[in-house]
Amino acid sequence: QNAPNSTLIVDANEGWTPDQVEPLSTALAQHGVALIEQPLPAGADALLSELSHPVPLCADESCHTTADLEALATRYDCVNLKLDKTGGLTEALQLATKVQELGLDLMVGSMVATSLAMAPATLLAPQARFVDLDGPLLLKQDRDHGLHYEGSLLHPPLPQLWG
Protein backbone atom coordinates (compact mmCIF):
# COMPACT_ATOMS: atom_id res chain seq x y z
CA GLN A 1 0.00 0.00 0.00
CA ASN A 2 2.85 2.42 0.73
CA ALA A 3 4.66 1.93 -2.58
CA PRO A 4 1.98 1.27 -5.22
CA ASN A 5 4.38 1.70 -8.16
CA SER A 6 6.94 -0.79 -6.82
CA THR A 7 7.86 -3.98 -8.61
CA LEU A 8 8.21 -6.99 -6.31
CA ILE A 9 10.94 -9.53 -6.95
CA VAL A 10 11.56 -12.62 -4.81
CA ASP A 11 15.08 -14.03 -4.64
CA ALA A 12 14.78 -17.68 -3.62
CA ASN A 13 18.59 -17.91 -3.65
CA GLU A 14 18.61 -21.59 -4.70
CA GLY A 15 16.55 -22.46 -1.62
CA TRP A 16 13.49 -24.18 -3.06
CA THR A 17 12.90 -27.82 -3.92
CA PRO A 18 11.29 -28.82 -7.23
CA ASP A 19 7.95 -29.59 -5.54
CA GLN A 20 7.80 -26.01 -4.18
CA VAL A 21 8.16 -24.20 -7.53
CA GLU A 22 4.56 -24.51 -8.77
CA PRO A 23 2.69 -23.79 -5.50
CA LEU A 24 4.98 -20.95 -4.38
CA SER A 25 4.99 -19.36 -7.83
CA THR A 26 1.19 -19.54 -7.93
CA ALA A 27 0.88 -17.97 -4.48
CA LEU A 28 3.40 -15.23 -5.31
CA ALA A 29 1.57 -14.43 -8.57
CA GLN A 30 -1.56 -13.75 -6.52
CA HIS A 31 0.42 -11.12 -4.59
CA GLY A 32 1.72 -9.37 -7.70
CA VAL A 33 5.30 -10.64 -7.65
CA ALA A 34 6.87 -9.91 -11.04
CA LEU A 35 9.94 -12.18 -10.93
CA ILE A 36 11.46 -15.06 -8.97
CA GLU A 37 15.24 -15.34 -8.95
CA GLN A 38 16.98 -18.72 -8.92
CA PRO A 39 14.43 -20.97 -7.20
CA LEU A 40 16.50 -24.16 -7.54
CA PRO A 41 20.22 -24.75 -7.03
CA ALA A 42 22.49 -24.04 -9.99
CA GLY A 43 23.17 -27.27 -11.80
CA ALA A 44 19.94 -28.79 -10.48
CA ASP A 45 17.54 -26.57 -12.38
CA ALA A 46 16.85 -28.64 -15.52
CA LEU A 47 13.41 -29.50 -14.12
CA LEU A 48 12.32 -25.87 -14.47
CA SER A 49 11.58 -26.38 -18.16
CA GLU A 50 8.90 -28.91 -17.14
CA LEU A 51 7.33 -27.04 -14.23
CA SER A 52 4.47 -24.57 -14.39
CA HIS A 53 5.28 -21.15 -12.95
CA PRO A 54 2.93 -18.20 -13.43
CA VAL A 55 5.69 -15.83 -12.25
CA PRO A 56 8.67 -15.54 -14.63
CA LEU A 57 11.88 -17.14 -13.38
CA CYS A 58 15.30 -15.47 -13.48
CA ALA A 59 18.63 -17.28 -13.64
CA ASP A 60 21.19 -15.86 -11.24
CA GLU A 61 23.72 -18.35 -9.88
CA SER A 62 23.09 -20.57 -12.94
CA CYS A 63 24.42 -17.98 -15.38
CA HIS A 64 27.91 -16.52 -15.37
CA THR A 65 28.89 -16.13 -19.03
CA THR A 66 27.48 -16.58 -22.53
CA ALA A 67 28.60 -20.23 -22.43
CA ASP A 68 25.85 -20.91 -19.87
CA LEU A 69 22.96 -19.43 -21.84
CA GLU A 70 21.95 -22.14 -24.32
CA ALA A 71 21.02 -24.60 -21.58
CA LEU A 72 19.15 -21.96 -19.61
CA ALA A 73 16.94 -20.57 -22.39
CA THR A 74 14.22 -23.21 -21.86
CA ARG A 75 14.39 -23.04 -18.05
CA TYR A 76 14.28 -19.32 -17.40
CA ASP A 77 12.51 -16.22 -18.67
CA CYS A 78 15.17 -13.77 -17.52
CA VAL A 79 18.89 -13.62 -16.69
CA ASN A 80 20.44 -11.63 -13.84
CA LEU A 81 23.68 -10.27 -15.25
CA LYS A 82 26.31 -9.31 -12.66
CA LEU A 83 29.70 -7.99 -13.69
CA ASP A 84 31.33 -9.91 -10.82
CA LYS A 85 30.08 -13.16 -12.37
CA THR A 86 30.89 -12.35 -15.99
CA GLY A 87 34.44 -11.26 -15.20
CA GLY A 88 33.97 -7.73 -16.50
CA LEU A 89 32.21 -5.39 -18.86
CA THR A 90 33.29 -7.03 -22.14
CA GLU A 91 31.70 -10.38 -21.34
CA ALA A 92 28.73 -8.62 -19.73
CA LEU A 93 28.01 -6.73 -22.96
CA GLN A 94 28.21 -9.97 -24.96
CA LEU A 95 25.96 -11.73 -22.46
CA ALA A 96 23.37 -8.93 -22.59
CA THR A 97 23.27 -9.14 -26.39
CA LYS A 98 22.88 -12.93 -26.36
CA VAL A 99 20.15 -12.78 -23.68
CA GLN A 100 18.14 -10.43 -25.89
CA GLU A 101 18.74 -12.56 -29.01
CA LEU A 102 17.28 -15.53 -27.14
CA GLY A 103 14.17 -13.50 -26.29
CA LEU A 104 14.84 -13.49 -22.56
CA ASP A 105 14.45 -10.51 -20.26
CA LEU A 106 17.54 -8.96 -18.73
CA MET A 107 18.14 -8.01 -15.14
CA VAL A 108 21.28 -6.12 -14.16
CA GLY A 109 22.24 -6.95 -10.60
CA SER A 110 25.12 -6.56 -8.24
CA MET A 111 27.05 -8.08 -5.43
CA VAL A 112 27.96 -6.04 -2.37
CA ALA A 113 30.61 -3.77 -3.85
CA THR A 114 31.81 -0.19 -4.03
CA SER A 115 30.52 2.37 -6.49
CA LEU A 116 33.67 1.89 -8.55
CA ALA A 117 32.74 -1.75 -9.13
CA MET A 118 29.11 -0.84 -9.78
CA ALA A 119 29.59 2.07 -12.19
CA PRO A 120 30.23 -0.03 -15.33
CA ALA A 121 26.97 -1.91 -14.74
CA THR A 122 25.08 1.37 -15.11
CA LEU A 123 25.93 1.17 -18.83
CA LEU A 124 23.77 -1.96 -19.08
CA ALA A 125 20.83 -0.64 -17.08
CA PRO A 126 19.01 0.94 -20.06
CA GLN A 127 18.80 -2.50 -21.73
CA ALA A 128 17.39 -4.21 -18.64
CA ARG A 129 13.80 -4.78 -17.59
CA PHE A 130 14.91 -5.08 -13.95
CA VAL A 131 17.79 -3.21 -12.29
CA ASP A 132 19.19 -3.99 -8.83
CA LEU A 133 22.40 -1.99 -8.42
CA ASP A 134 22.24 -1.35 -4.69
CA GLY A 135 25.57 -2.95 -3.74
CA PRO A 136 27.19 0.27 -2.49
CA LEU A 137 24.19 1.01 -0.26
CA LEU A 138 24.94 -2.16 1.71
CA LEU A 139 28.44 -1.02 2.67
CA LYS A 140 29.27 0.75 5.91
CA GLN A 141 31.30 3.22 3.83
CA ASP A 142 31.59 3.62 0.06
CA ARG A 143 34.49 5.31 -1.71
CA ASP A 144 34.67 9.06 -2.30
CA HIS A 145 32.52 10.42 -5.15
CA GLY A 146 30.39 7.26 -5.10
CA LEU A 147 27.20 6.72 -7.03
CA HIS A 148 24.36 9.01 -6.05
CA TYR A 149 21.03 7.41 -5.17
CA GLU A 150 17.88 9.49 -4.83
CA GLY A 151 15.09 7.27 -3.60
CA SER A 152 14.93 4.46 -6.17
CA LEU A 153 16.80 6.48 -8.80
CA LEU A 154 20.46 5.90 -9.52
CA HIS A 155 22.32 8.75 -11.17
CA PRO A 156 25.19 8.17 -13.62
CA PRO A 157 28.65 8.11 -12.06
CA LEU A 158 30.59 11.36 -11.77
CA PRO A 159 33.99 11.57 -13.53
CA GLN A 160 35.66 11.93 -10.10
CA LEU A 161 34.65 8.36 -9.22
CA TRP A 162 37.31 7.01 -11.56
CA GLY A 163 40.12 8.66 -9.57
Side-chain angles (χ1 to χ4, degrees):
Q1 299 287 339
N2 294 329
N5 297 323
S6 296
T7 300
L8 299 177
I9 297 173
V10 170
D11 188 352
N13 249 347
E14 304 180 276
W16 294 359
T17 59
D19 62 323
Q20 291 176 310
V21 173
E22 290 182 24
L24 289 177
S25 181
T26 299
L28 291 170
Q30 294 169 356
H31 292 285
V33 170
L35 190 70
I36 299 169
E37 281 186 71
Q38 198 70 43
L40 300 179
D45 55 0
L47 285 173
L48 291 176
S49 60
E50 303 170 18
L51 298 176
S52 171
H53 51 87
V55 176
L57 302 179
C58 181
D60 187 353
E61 289 82 4
S62 289
C63 186
H64 291 253
T65 66
T66 54
D68 301 322
L69 276 179
E70 292 298 326
L72 302 178
T74 61
R75 302 173 194 173
Y76 293 96
D77 309 288
C78 182
V79 171
N80 188 351
L81 186 157
K82 296 178 181 174
L83 268 69
D84 288 10
K85 292 188 306 182
T86 65
L89 186 56
T90 301
E91 178 63 21
L93 290 167
Q94 293 171 353
L95 181 63
T97 298
K98 186 70 173 173
V99 164
Q100 292 170 334
E101 287 173 0
L102 291 171
L104 302 172
D105 283 328
L106 181 64
M107 176 177 183
V108 176
S110 65
M111 308 296 240
V112 177
T114 68
S115 288
L116 186 60
M118 206 63 47
T122 64
L123 299 172
L124 295 161
Q127 300 175 48
R129 180 166 178 211
F130 303 98
V131 178
D132 181 16
L133 296 177
D134 62 353
L137 297 174
L138 303 173
L139 298 173
K140 182 177 179 182
Q141 182 177 352
D142 194 7
R143 60 186 296 121
D144 290 340
H145 309 291
L147 294 171
H148 175 68
Y149 296 84
E150 195 172 313
S152 64
L153 298 177
L154 169 60
H155 295 270
L158 297 173
Q160 296 89 338
L161 175 64
W162 306 105

